[in-house]
Amino acid sequence: MENKKIRALVVEDDPDFCFLIEKTLCAAGIEHIGSVSNAKEAVIEAVRMKPDVVLMDLCLADSVSDGIEAGKEIRLNTDAKLLILTSYEEPEVIRNACCRSFASGYIFKSQFGLLPETVKSAAKGRTPQEYMIVSLILSELSVAERSVLELLMGKDLKLQSSPKTISNQKNNLLKKLGLSGTEELRHVFKDLV
């Protein structure tokens, strides 16, 4: 990322705030590759444009779930880092949104000045926020499910469970995380577990 310009896609349904984000990114030397205002377009454009970072407004069309679901689809279908951009500052809302969308971090709209540095940090590598989010996700898993996760991620473990038990734990793990299979699991958690 050092010599390559960071490419950012903005997902925001407030045109004035979107304009402010675009200007702030450009002023910081971050390439603004596009803006969209709804969840469906966000996924399509993220897959098409292959940004380094997607800034995702949490509340699209008055629904928090739109931003979460679009963010999750972007994470599953691209290598982009996902940063939740939100006016909600309730810890439980942020925790839930970041964990369900597999976000790399979040930025409160009230702390807009942190936007350029947060985007740059996310694009360069793993951030403390990202490790915290992964830790929160993993805290919801049983010890056995975490072991199976590590096994699925390629770690050399000798589990004492039967193949049937491991298969059941794998299914429980995928269900808890809202993932459809091992490929999605490996994509989301690569270099994190």
Side-chain angles (χ1 to χ4, degrees):
M1 280 280 126
E2 290 177 28
N3 296 327
K4 182 183 165 214
K5 200 166 192 177
I6 298 167
R7 301 172 72 246
L9 175 66
V10 177
V11 184
E12 171 62 58
D13 59 1
D14 177 340
D16 293 332
F17 195 62
C18 191
F19 179 77
L20 178 62
I21 294 169
E22 292 169 20
K23 293 300 176 196
T24 301
L25 292 175
C26 291
I30 298 166
E31 183 181 353
H32 168 255
I33 61 170
S35 295
V36 296
S37 60
N38 66 62
K40 186 176 180 181
E41 282 183 82
V43 175
I44 291 167
E45 292 304 304
V47 169
R48 185 179 74 79
M49 296 177 149
K50 298 178 178 38
D52 299 307
V53 176
V54 174
L55 288 165
M56 173 66 69
D57 183 9
L58 184 57
C59 190
L60 295 170
D62 298 324
S63 172
V64 170
S65 64
D66 283 351
I68 293 171
E69 291 306 315
K72 180 179 175 181
E73 285 302 310
I74 289 167
R75 283 286 291 123
L76 292 176
N77 293 292
T78 74
D79 289 326
K81 298 292 188 109
L82 177 71
L83 295 175
I84 300 287
L85 187 60
T86 182
S87 56
Y88 293 105
E89 294 189 18
E90 296 83 13
E92 190 56 34
V93 171
I94 300 306
R95 178 186 182 279
N96 181 48
C98 288
C99 290
R100 285 185 44 216
S101 66
F102 303 109
S104 299
Y106 59 91
I107 305 162
F108 296 133
K109 289 182 178 181
S110 65
Q111 297 176 327
F112 187 76
L114 299 174
L115 180 75
E117 194 53 44
T118 305
V119 170
K120 288 176 182 178
S121 293
K124 287 179 184 172
R126 304 297 180 194
T127 65
Q129 278 188 346
E130 189 167 16
Y131 283 110
M132 180 195 68
I133 292 164
V134 169
S135 178
L136 289 169
I137 293 169
L138 297 181
S139 73
E140 299 297 317
L141 304 178
S142 69
V143 172
E145 290 164 344
R146 284 184 77 159
S147 295
V148 170
L149 171 64
E150 290 179 14
L151 183 69
L152 293 171
M153 294 303 294
K155 291 198 177 175
D156 187 23
L157 299 176
K158 305 290 185 239
L159 300 182
Q160 301 300 315
S161 302
S162 71
K164 182 177 176 161
T165 300
I166 292 172
S167 177
N168 288 338
Q169 291 166 339
K170 173 187 167 187
N171 291 336
N172 290 339
L173 163 68
L174 293 171
K175 185 177 179 181
K176 275 186 182 178
L177 297 175
L179 299 171
S180 65
T182 305
E183 189 175 309
E184 286 185 352
L185 182 85
R186 287 184 180 137
H187 179 74
V188 168
F189 290 101
K190 68 181 172 195
D191 302 326
L192 289 167
V193 176

